[in-house]
Amino acid sequence: MSIKLFIKNEIHSIQLQFDVNDSIAAVKAAYQKSGKVQGRLDYIVLLHRGKELQDEKSIAEHGINDGAILVHIETLHEPFRPVNYAVLADAIKQRHLHEQANLKMMQQDGTMHHLGFDKSIISRSSPKSTPLPRQKSSGRTFFNQVSVLVNGCSYHVLPSMEGRWNGELESIPSQDEGTQVCSCELTFREEGVWNLRQMRTSISGLTTTQHLWIKPAADGVLKLETDDPSLRGSDITMREVGANILIITATSKRTGRPVMVETITSIDSTRRLRTVQRFDETGGFRFVYVMNERRVVDAVSGAMERYDPNF
């Protein structure tokens, strides 16, 4: 369905034609191409009824109707990196096509996952549409002990991190708590997501716990949600790098700057090193956590699910 939208800035009002399924990134790309952009070309913020529009969502998902007015505002913040909206829009379109192809394939072979109907990993409220019956299987296919296929996406590093890890945490610069004990437990759930629980205990006995829900997005790429209030309003992505590194980046949706960068390096099957860099929303450095961790292997934790070769 084709609609027309008006984009206004301080000088111009531009009328452009779109399909309702076009992403906001595609809208910004067309706006860029019009030559009427005021301010930065590589970082555009559009508002509709006072709310900022998200690049990855479509016009329809934002509830934007024919003839709507979008307002371009200039922000005071520099972007973390320039944005090529044409490239971004194409990447979003290709990803959606890939997801649709995977969805069709799963519908045909009967491996549809309930996760595909959920709007949020954290929220488990039932969707309006009736989901297909959930499968009794774990929702993933093993190629070997640490290489899996989940929702059509392959992963080789994250599965090797499953289980429980304990270690010591040090902060740079040093904090009042001194050296802390840290513990992580990563498990795979049949809905097709990983659940990560992280705990830190100070010498005073105070324990803090955080949960993260990790959802497949593309080969070697995952999206995260967390109950950590310091990361509220952040876009969190996990990427596999090589054969033994995970990088988690949390970027402020408001400023486009990183607020957290975590690197997990697997030394061998029983040892790993984690570093967590934290920044404020302006990009200012706050502190670094360094954690040396060892896998806990017993009858309950640390053991990965058995796999059956499929090839």
Side-chain angles (χ1 to χ4, degrees):
M1 178 181 174
S2 180
I3 63 172
K4 61 182 177 183
L5 300 177
F6 296 89
I7 301 179
K8 286 189 174 183
N9 54 41
E10 291 183 353
I11 299 176
H12 304 288
S13 177
I14 306 105
Q15 178 181 324
L16 297 169
Q17 202 83 11
F18 300 99
D19 186 276
V20 292
N21 294 316
D22 286 340
S23 66
I24 297 302
V27 174
K28 293 181 180 180
Y31 178 43
Q32 273 183 330
K33 192 175 180 180
S34 72
K36 301 293 181 65
V37 177
Q38 294 297 305
R40 297 187 66 104
L41 286 170
D42 55 10
Y43 186 60
I44 298 172
V45 176
L46 294 178
L47 303 182
H48 178 243
R49 295 181 178 177
K51 293 185 178 181
E52 183 177 347
L53 302 179
Q54 300 178 34
D55 292 337
E56 294 195 0
K57 286 190 175 182
S58 68
I59 295 171
E61 287 175 317
H62 277 290
I64 299 173
N65 299 319
D66 186 35
I69 297 174
L70 310 183
V71 179
H72 174 206
I73 63 169
E74 294 188 50
T75 65
L76 299 177
H77 302 283
E78 292 285 326
F80 177 55
R81 57 179 180 271
V83 181
N84 185 325
Y85 288 105
V87 173
L88 177 60
D90 184 64
I92 293 171
K93 182 178 180 180
Q94 294 303 318
R95 191 190 70 193
H96 287 169
L97 291 174
H98 177 71
E99 290 174 348
Q100 290 170 4
N102 285 337
L103 184 63
K104 184 177 180 180
M105 179 182 67
M106 288 187 290
Q107 287 173 331
Q108 291 173 344
D109 64 17
T111 58
M112 173 70 72
H113 302 299
H114 185 259
L115 177 67
F117 295 94
D118 286 339
K119 293 183 178 179
S120 168
I121 303 172
I122 298 176
S123 173
R124 294 297 171 192
S125 58
S126 299
K128 293 181 180 179
S129 58
T130 303
L132 295 179
R134 292 169 62 179
Q135 306 296 314
K136 293 183 179 180
S137 65
S138 66
R140 59 178 172 177
T141 302
F142 283 87
F143 297 103
N144 54 51
Q145 186 65 49
V146 294
S147 296
V148 302
L149 188 71
V150 181
N151 280 2
C153 305
S154 60
Y155 302 99
H156 308 283
V157 181
L158 182 62
S160 69
M161 303 290 184
E162 290 179 22
R164 185 152 57 90
W165 300 76
N166 291 344
E168 291 187 345
L169 177 151
E170 294 186 4
S171 176
I172 304 172
S174 298
Q175 298 184 2
D176 295 338
E177 296 91 344
T179 300
Q180 302 181 56
V181 176
C182 56
S183 177
C184 292
E185 186 171 5
L186 178 67
T187 57
F188 182 81
R189 299 172 56 173
E190 65 176 22
E191 293 93 339
V193 300
W194 281 269
N195 180 39
L196 175 62
R197 183 180 65 174
Q198 298 179 335
M199 294 183 292
R200 297 201 312 268
T201 304
S202 66
I203 56 176
S204 63
L206 179 64
T207 298
T208 58
T209 304
Q210 298 168 354
H211 293 86
L212 295 97
W213 293 264
I214 307 171
K215 174 184 177 181
D219 290 346
V221 181
L222 305 105
K223 302 298 290 186
L224 281 69
E225 293 184 21
T226 180
D227 58 5
D228 183 352
S230 68
L231 296 178
R232 188 177 294 120
S234 299
D235 180 55
I236 312 175
T237 302
M238 174 186 286
R239 296 182 183 276
E240 296 185 334
V241 180
N244 60 350
I245 297 174
L246 290 173
I247 297 179
I248 304 172
T249 306
T251 304
S252 169
K253 294 179 180 178
R254 187 171 66 87
T255 65
R257 293 179 179 273
V259 293
M260 188 273 290
V261 178
E262 177 175 350
T263 303
I264 307 174
T265 304
S266 174
I267 300 171
D268 54 37
S269 61
T270 61
R271 296 179 300 156
R272 71 182 189 183
L273 177 69
R274 285 201 298 144
T275 61
V276 181
Q277 305 171 55
R278 297 301 295 260
F279 308 87
D280 59 31
E281 284 209 344
T282 65
F285 171 75
R286 294 176 59 199
F287 55 81
V288 173
Y289 285 142
V290 180
M291 289 155 277
N292 283 296
E293 298 178 327
R294 285 186 173 273
R295 183 189 296 277
V296 178
V297 180
D298 54 32
V300 178
S301 62
M304 288 189 62
E305 174 183 340
R306 292 181 62 85
Y307 73 97
D308 296 315
N310 290 275
F311 305 98

Short mmCIF file of all heavy atoms in Angstrom, two decimals, residues 121-122 124 134 137-140 150 187-196 213:
data_model
loop_
_atom_site.label_atom_id
_atom_site.label_comp_id
_atom_site.label_asym_id
_atom_site.label_seq_id
_atom_site.Cartn_x
_atom_site.Cartn_y
_atom_site.Cartn_z
N ILE A 121 11.27 -10.48 24.23
CA ILE A 121 11.81 -11.66 24.86
C ILE A 121 11.38 -11.71 26.32
O ILE A 121 11.06 -12.75 26.86
CB ILE A 121 13.35 -11.66 24.77
CG1 ILE A 121 13.79 -11.54 23.31
CG2 ILE A 121 13.95 -12.89 25.40
CD1 ILE A 121 15.27 -11.34 23.15
N ILE A 122 11.38 -10.54 26.96
CA ILE A 122 11.06 -10.48 28.38
C ILE A 122 9.58 -10.71 28.61
O ILE A 122 9.17 -11.47 29.47
CB ILE A 122 11.49 -9.13 28.97
CG1 ILE A 122 13.01 -8.96 28.84
CG2 ILE A 122 11.06 -9.01 30.42
CD1 ILE A 122 13.51 -7.62 29.30
N ARG A 124 6.13 -12.25 28.23
CA ARG A 124 5.63 -13.54 27.79
C ARG A 124 4.11 -13.54 27.66
O ARG A 124 3.47 -14.58 27.71
CB ARG A 124 6.04 -14.64 28.79
CG ARG A 124 7.55 -14.84 28.81
CD ARG A 124 8.06 -15.32 27.48
NE ARG A 124 9.51 -15.31 27.44
CZ ARG A 124 10.21 -15.46 26.34
NH1 ARG A 124 9.61 -15.59 25.18
NH2 ARG A 124 11.51 -15.46 26.38
N ARG A 134 3.76 -25.54 20.39
CA ARG A 134 5.20 -25.53 20.61
C ARG A 134 5.74 -26.95 20.54
O ARG A 134 5.12 -27.91 20.97
CB ARG A 134 5.51 -24.90 21.97
CG ARG A 134 5.19 -23.42 22.00
CD ARG A 134 5.24 -22.87 23.39
NE ARG A 134 6.57 -23.01 23.95
CZ ARG A 134 6.87 -22.57 25.17
NH1 ARG A 134 5.97 -22.00 25.92
NH2 ARG A 134 8.10 -22.72 25.63
N SER A 137 11.02 -30.33 21.24
CA SER A 137 12.47 -30.30 21.06
C SER A 137 13.04 -29.02 21.63
O SER A 137 12.32 -28.11 22.01
CB SER A 137 12.81 -30.40 19.57
OG SER A 137 12.33 -29.25 18.90
N SER A 138 14.38 -28.95 21.69
CA SER A 138 15.03 -27.79 22.28
C SER A 138 14.99 -26.57 21.38
O SER A 138 15.36 -25.49 21.79
CB SER A 138 16.50 -28.13 22.58
OG SER A 138 17.20 -28.36 21.37
N GLY A 139 14.52 -26.72 20.14
CA GLY A 139 14.43 -25.57 19.25
C GLY A 139 15.72 -25.26 18.54
O GLY A 139 15.86 -24.19 17.97
N ARG A 140 16.68 -26.16 18.57
CA ARG A 140 17.93 -25.91 17.86
C ARG A 140 18.49 -27.21 17.32
O ARG A 140 18.20 -28.30 17.82
CB ARG A 140 18.96 -25.23 18.76
CG ARG A 140 19.32 -26.01 20.02
CD ARG A 140 20.38 -25.27 20.81
NE ARG A 140 20.62 -25.87 22.10
CZ ARG A 140 21.54 -25.44 22.96
NH1 ARG A 140 22.29 -24.41 22.64
NH2 ARG A 140 21.70 -26.02 24.13
N VAL A 150 19.78 -22.03 15.23
CA VAL A 150 18.60 -21.62 15.99
C VAL A 150 17.82 -20.61 15.15
O VAL A 150 18.37 -19.58 14.74
CB VAL A 150 18.98 -20.98 17.34
CG1 VAL A 150 17.72 -20.58 18.11
CG2 VAL A 150 19.83 -21.92 18.17
N THR A 187 22.08 -20.43 29.94
CA THR A 187 21.28 -21.61 29.58
C THR A 187 20.46 -21.33 28.33
O THR A 187 20.08 -20.18 28.07
CB THR A 187 20.33 -22.01 30.72
OG1 THR A 187 19.48 -20.90 31.05
CG2 THR A 187 21.11 -22.43 31.96
N PHE A 188 20.19 -22.38 27.57
CA PHE A 188 19.35 -22.26 26.38
C PHE A 188 17.94 -22.71 26.73
O PHE A 188 17.75 -23.73 27.40
CB PHE A 188 19.90 -23.11 25.24
CG PHE A 188 19.10 -22.98 23.97
CD1 PHE A 188 19.28 -21.91 23.12
CD2 PHE A 188 18.15 -23.94 23.63
CE1 PHE A 188 18.54 -21.79 21.95
CE2 PHE A 188 17.41 -23.83 22.47
CZ PHE A 188 17.61 -22.75 21.63
N ARG A 189 16.94 -21.93 26.28
CA ARG A 189 15.55 -22.25 26.56
C ARG A 189 14.87 -22.73 25.29
O ARG A 189 15.23 -22.34 24.18
CB ARG A 189 14.84 -21.02 27.12
CG ARG A 189 15.44 -20.53 28.42
CD ARG A 189 14.86 -19.22 28.87
NE ARG A 189 13.40 -19.28 29.00
CZ ARG A 189 12.67 -18.29 29.50
NH1 ARG A 189 13.26 -17.18 29.90
NH2 ARG A 189 11.36 -18.40 29.58
N GLU A 190 13.86 -23.57 25.46
CA GLU A 190 13.21 -24.19 24.31
C GLU A 190 12.47 -23.17 23.44
O GLU A 190 12.13 -23.46 22.30
CB GLU A 190 12.24 -25.27 24.77
CG GLU A 190 11.06 -24.76 25.58
CD GLU A 190 10.08 -25.87 25.91
OE1 GLU A 190 10.47 -27.04 25.91
OE2 GLU A 190 8.92 -25.54 26.17
N GLU A 191 12.24 -21.95 23.96
CA GLU A 191 11.61 -20.92 23.13
C GLU A 191 12.53 -20.43 22.03
O GLU A 191 12.12 -19.71 21.12
CB GLU A 191 11.19 -19.72 23.99
CG GLU A 191 10.07 -20.01 24.98
CD GLU A 191 10.62 -20.41 26.33
OE1 GLU A 191 11.80 -20.84 26.39
OE2 GLU A 191 9.89 -20.30 27.33
N GLY A 192 13.82 -20.81 22.10
CA GLY A 192 14.77 -20.39 21.08
C GLY A 192 15.60 -19.20 21.50
O GLY A 192 16.11 -18.47 20.66
N VAL A 193 15.74 -18.96 22.82
CA VAL A 193 16.57 -17.87 23.32
C VAL A 193 17.51 -18.41 24.39
O VAL A 193 17.28 -19.47 24.98
CB VAL A 193 15.72 -16.73 23.92
CG1 VAL A 193 14.80 -16.13 22.89
CG2 VAL A 193 14.93 -17.21 25.12
N TRP A 194 18.59 -17.67 24.63
CA TRP A 194 19.47 -17.97 25.74
C TRP A 194 19.13 -17.04 26.91
O TRP A 194 18.77 -15.87 26.70
CB TRP A 194 20.93 -17.75 25.35
CG TRP A 194 21.55 -18.85 24.56
CD1 TRP A 194 22.23 -19.94 25.05
CD2 TRP A 194 21.58 -18.98 23.13
NE1 TRP A 194 22.67 -20.73 24.01
CE2 TRP A 194 22.30 -20.17 22.82
CE3 TRP A 194 21.08 -18.21 22.09
CZ2 TRP A 194 22.51 -20.59 21.52
CZ3 TRP A 194 21.29 -18.63 20.79
CH2 TRP A 194 22.00 -19.81 20.51
N ASN A 195 19.25 -17.55 28.11
CA ASN A 195 19.04 -16.75 29.31
C ASN A 195 20.37 -16.67 30.07
O ASN A 195 20.99 -17.70 30.36
CB ASN A 195 17.98 -17.39 30.20
CG ASN A 195 17.73 -16.59 31.46
OD1 ASN A 195 17.72 -15.37 31.44
ND2 ASN A 195 17.54 -17.28 32.58
N LEU A 196 20.82 -15.46 30.35
CA LEU A 196 22.09 -15.25 31.05
C LEU A 196 21.83 -14.57 32.39
O LEU A 196 21.21 -13.50 32.44
CB LEU A 196 23.03 -14.39 30.21
CG LEU A 196 24.37 -13.98 30.85
CD1 LEU A 196 25.21 -15.21 31.18
CD2 LEU A 196 25.13 -13.03 29.94
N TRP A 213 18.34 -11.61 28.21
CA TRP A 213 17.69 -12.55 27.31
C TRP A 213 18.29 -12.33 25.92
O TRP A 213 18.31 -11.20 25.41
CB TRP A 213 16.18 -12.31 27.30
CG TRP A 213 15.54 -12.65 28.61
CD1 TRP A 213 14.93 -13.82 28.95
CD2 TRP A 213 15.45 -11.81 29.78
NE1 TRP A 213 14.46 -13.76 30.25
CE2 TRP A 213 14.77 -12.54 30.78
CE3 TRP A 213 15.88 -10.52 30.07
CZ2 TRP A 213 14.51 -12.02 32.04
CZ3 TRP A 213 15.62 -10.00 31.34
CH2 TRP A 213 14.94 -10.75 32.30
#
